[in-house]
């Protein structure tokens, strides 16, 4: 393992003004996204969509430091025969790869899941390195049960521990392969739970995660954390202000994340596009922390472009314009320089 090289990649991934494009939707998830615009999800349509994003020069060169790819995508070629990995490198952005194999029910813990994909991971990482990946992603999913379920409420300690241990074992394997691990323990924002409950659970999850990373010998200087923000469940009747989300998120991070972690890149998790930008911006406006804090958004970077594209070549420019806009807004937010007025300027 070359920790200096890993650190240099991690630092570049969180360059102020830039962030990560999560374009690693599994075949099932991208089908759901395409269903929303009534487009059939074929291999070539998925390629067209992602090629269009990676060819959006301004967004890619100015605001996308890295792109998370899916197994199919890292092997694909653009319509002119250039590999998509080469396209991303040519934009001075770093190709990365999702390596988890999704979630499955966790035996012994009804209603909770464990992320799988550790078997054979050492060999897969070696292949992905050859294919050009310099960072990877693994997502653990933590679900908060409805408030009325006080007896069997989730997450359980067992599910948190099992998921974080898997994240730590994945991260150690990545570093052995000279690949920067993004560790993503996502506390889901669906449901009725309050912002206080999300705060409490996120704190427990992140505390446990850094214990597991330590125990598995993961070097934090070569690791990127991809957490959720501290928000209320989407169905909670009381929603916190932008300031409250930012203040609570910073508090949890300061209470749990060592300063040797070079960067934190949030997932958007189903937040509305502009709200995800406003939250990131407020976190950076408040500031006073040691890490670079930015975005690793999927939906919040792609949604408006997807609706502009609608699967039709003639909408290529409109889709690139929409992607450029969201990338620029989030780039500003990663420096605390966004303003709502810029959204319609
Ligand atoms: P969202 O920003 O859409 O949550 O996706 C980010 C991601 O990579 C989830 O694993």
């Amino acid at each position: 393992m070359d920790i200096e090289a890993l650190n240099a990649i991690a630092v570049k991934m969180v360059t102020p003004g830039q962030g990560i494009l999560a374009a690693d939707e599994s075949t099932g998830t991208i089908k759901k996204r395409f269903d929303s615009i009534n487009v059939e999800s074929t291999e070539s349509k998925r390629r067209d969509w992602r090629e269009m994003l990676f060819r959006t020069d301004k967004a890619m060169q100015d605001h996308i430091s890295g792109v998370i790819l899916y197994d199919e995508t890292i092997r694909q070629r653009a319509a002119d025969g250039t590999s998509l990995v080469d396209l991303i490198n040519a934009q001075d952005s770093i190709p990365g790869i999702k390596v988890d194999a999704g979630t499955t029910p966790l035996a012994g813990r009804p209603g909770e899941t464990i992320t799988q994909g550790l078997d054979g991971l050492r060999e897969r990482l070696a292949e992905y390195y050859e294919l050009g990946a310099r960072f990877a992603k693994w997502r653990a999913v933590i679900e908060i049960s409805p408030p009325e379920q006080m007896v069997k409420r989730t997450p359980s300690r067992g599910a948190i521990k099992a998921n974080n241990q898997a994240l730590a074992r994945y991260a150690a394997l990545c570093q052995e392969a000279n690949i920067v691990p993004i560790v993503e323990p996502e506390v889901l924002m669906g449901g009725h739970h309050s912002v206080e409950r999300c705060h409490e659970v996120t704190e427990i999850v992140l505390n446990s995660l850094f214990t597991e990373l330590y125990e598995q010998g993961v070097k934090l200087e070569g690791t990127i954390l991809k957490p959720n923000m501290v928000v209320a469940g989407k169905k909670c009747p009381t929603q916190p202000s932008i300031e409250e989300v930012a203040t609570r998120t910073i508090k949890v991070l300061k209470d749990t994340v060592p300063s040797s972690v070079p960067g934190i890149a949030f997932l958007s998790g189903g937040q509305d596009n502009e709200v995800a930008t406003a939250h990131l911006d407020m976190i950076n406006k408040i500031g006073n922390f040691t890490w670079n804090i930015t975005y690793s958004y999927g939906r919040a970077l792609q949604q408006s472009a997807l609706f502009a594209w609608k699967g039709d070549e003639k909408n290529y420019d409109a889709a690139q314009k929409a992607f450029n806009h969201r990338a620029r807004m989030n780039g500003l937010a990663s420096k605390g320089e966004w303003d709502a007025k810029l959204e319609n300027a």
Side-chain angles (χ1 to χ4, degrees), residues 28 44 46 63 65 87 96 130 140 148 166 202 207 228 240 273 283-284 334:
S44 62
R46 294 192 288 273
H63 303 299
S65 56
L87 268 190
E130 286 304 310
E148 64 273 16
T202 304
N207 250 318
N228 53 283
N273 295 346
I283 287 167
N284 281 304
S334 75

Side-chain angles (χ1 to χ4, degrees), residues 22 24 137 139 184 186 226 267-270 296-299:
D24 61 326
K137 180 191 109 173
R139 171 175 175 258
E184 179 179 5
E186 176 174 2
K226 175 162 173 166
L267 59 96
S268 59
S296 175
Y297 291 164
R299 282 161 285 183

Side-chain angles (χ1 to χ4, degrees), residues 13 33 61 96 130 134 141 166 171 202 204 260 329-330 343:
M13 286 164 69
R33 307 279 185 264
Q61 289 164 20
E130 286 304 310
R134 293 295 176 266
V141 178
T202 304
I204 293 169
S260 47
M329 293 299 106
N330 285 302
E343 286 291 347

